[in-house]
């Protein structure tokens, strides 16, 4: 868990432009922004780097800092928490994309008891063999990033027959009224515009879809 002081430092770096790429930041400037000494600011940067929330490069013209994807997700999680505090009622997110074929791994992984049992118990889904894969539109890629701060369900890693299987996280959603869940492996190999979905129904057949057909995914936040 990121401590409050580090999170405040991460926010300041973002406001200085660190979300957009390498930004020149001195410990004196950062310390002044946070109301702390340059030495303490240096320790904050070291801590953020150690947690993988920023990357740093030292050049002859100064120190350049970039917020990593992990750091961005941490900020989005904090943002979503404030949304839950100040926004009332239910909020729905809608993702638009097109159906694509996966790499064939989904059918294998959703057949493994260690995963299937957790999908049933934690997500309420007895998964159909295989995953439903969607390539998101550019606008929906940004919407997907907002989902990082929602309450995802942890899928624990486990060992079976001397083989270790990694953890994942799942988020309930619906497609055309069918209950589904977005699954993100702990070590995802897919780019940001691709998502994997499990469902208790073979959605391709039930919805008569083929690769390239439009798909709408709805995620509700209470």
């Amino acid at each position: 868990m990121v401590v409050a002081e580090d999170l405040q430092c991460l926010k300041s770096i973002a406001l200085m432009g660190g979300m957009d790429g390498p930004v020149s930041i001195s410990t004196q400037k950062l310390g002044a922004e946070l109301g702390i000494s340059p030495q303490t600011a240096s320790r904050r940067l070291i801590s953020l780097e150690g947690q993988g929330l920023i990357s740093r490069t030292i050049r002859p013209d100064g120190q350049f800092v970039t917020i990593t994807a992990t750091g961005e997700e941490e900020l989005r999680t904090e943002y979503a928490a404030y949304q839950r505090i100040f926004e009332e009622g239910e909020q729905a997110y809608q993702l638009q994309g097109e159906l694509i074929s996966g790499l064939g791994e989904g059918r294998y992984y959703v057949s493994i008891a260690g995963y299937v049992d957790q999908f049933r118990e934690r997500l309420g889904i007895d998964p159909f063999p295989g995953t439903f894969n969607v390539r998101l539109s550019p606008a929906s890629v940004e919407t997907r990033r907002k989902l990082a701060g929602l309450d995802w369900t942890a899928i624990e890693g486990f060992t079976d027959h001397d083989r270790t299987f990694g953890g994942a996280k799942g988020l309930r959603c619906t497609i055309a009224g069918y209950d589904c869940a977005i699954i993100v492996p702990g070590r995802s190999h897919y780019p940001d515009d691709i998502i994997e979905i499990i469902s208790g129904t073979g959605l391709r057949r039930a919805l008569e879809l083929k690769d390239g057909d439009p798909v709408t995914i709805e995620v509700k936040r209470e």
Side-chain angles (χ1 to χ4, degrees), residues 92-95 172-177 182 216-220:
Y93 296 94
Q94 195 172 82
L95 304 173
R172 293 183 182 88
C173 62
T174 60
I175 296 176
I182 299 170
T216 298
I217 305 158
E218 292 189 352
V219 178
K220 293 182 178 180

Side-chain angles (χ1 to χ4, degrees), residues 89-154:
E90 183 182 272
Q91 181 174 347
Y93 296 94
Q94 195 172 82
L95 304 173
Q96 306 281 351
E98 64 177 23
L99 180 63
I100 62 172
S101 294
L103 301 178
E105 297 178 354
R107 180 178 294 273
Y108 169 65
Y109 284 104
V110 297
S111 68
I112 299 172
Y115 287 128
V116 173
D117 291 345
Q118 293 187 74
F119 293 155
R120 288 172 180 156
E121 295 170 6
R122 302 186 179 191
L123 295 171
I125 293 176
D126 189 357
F128 177 85
T131 55
F132 189 79
N133 300 277
V134 177
R135 176 180 286 113
L136 299 175
S137 67
S140 288
V141 171
E142 181 60 31
T143 301
R144 176 190 178 167
R145 295 192 179 109
K146 297 177 182 178
L147 302 182
L150 300 186
D151 293 326
W152 290 70
T153 298

Side-chain angles (χ1 to χ4, degrees), residues 15-200:
L15 291 171
M16 292 177 186
M19 293 275 283
D20 302 321
V23 60
S24 177
I25 296 179
S26 68
T27 54
Q28 289 81 4
K29 178 181 179 181
L30 183 60
E33 180 71 23
L34 295 170
I36 58 179
S37 69
Q39 293 80 10
T40 300
S42 177
R43 288 195 293 271
R44 292 274 180 268
L45 290 173
I46 293 171
S47 177
L48 291 174
E49 186 176 33
Q51 296 172 79
L53 302 175
I54 64 168
S55 61
R56 292 194 297 165
T57 302
I58 306 299
R59 304 177 187 174
D61 55 342
Q63 173 180 242
F64 290 80
V65 180
T66 304
I67 293 178
T68 65
T70 302
E72 179 178 345
E73 183 173 350
E74 191 67 38
L75 287 173
R76 290 188 181 278
T77 299
E78 185 72 4
Y79 170 67
Y82 281 111
Q83 281 186 307
R84 290 195 292 272
I85 294 172
F86 294 109
E87 294 181 5
E88 296 182 358
E90 183 182 272
Q91 181 174 347
Y93 296 94
Q94 195 172 82
L95 304 173
Q96 306 281 351
E98 64 177 23
L99 180 63
I100 62 172
S101 294
L103 301 178
E105 297 178 354
R107 180 178 294 273
Y108 169 65
Y109 284 104
V110 297
S111 68
I112 299 172
Y115 287 128
V116 173
D117 291 345
Q118 293 187 74
F119 293 155
R120 288 172 180 156
E121 295 170 6
R122 302 186 179 191
L123 295 171
I125 293 176
D126 189 357
F128 177 85
T131 55
F132 189 79
N133 300 277
V134 177
R135 176 180 286 113
L136 299 175
S137 67
S140 288
V141 171
E142 181 60 31
T143 301
R144 176 190 178 167
R145 295 192 179 109
K146 297 177 182 178
L147 302 182
L150 300 186
D151 293 326
W152 290 70
T153 298
I155 305 298
E156 305 294 340
F158 57 93
T159 300
D160 186 20
H161 294 96
D162 296 325
R163 180 174 177 182
T164 299
F165 294 89
K169 61 182 181 179
L171 183 66
R172 293 183 182 88
C173 62
T174 60
I175 296 176
Y178 288 96
D179 290 332
C180 311
I182 299 170
I183 299 297
V184 177
R187 297 179 179 177
S188 177
H189 52 270
Y190 281 139
D192 288 345
D193 64 339
I194 304 296
I195 59 175
E196 289 185 290
I197 294 169
I198 61 171
S199 174

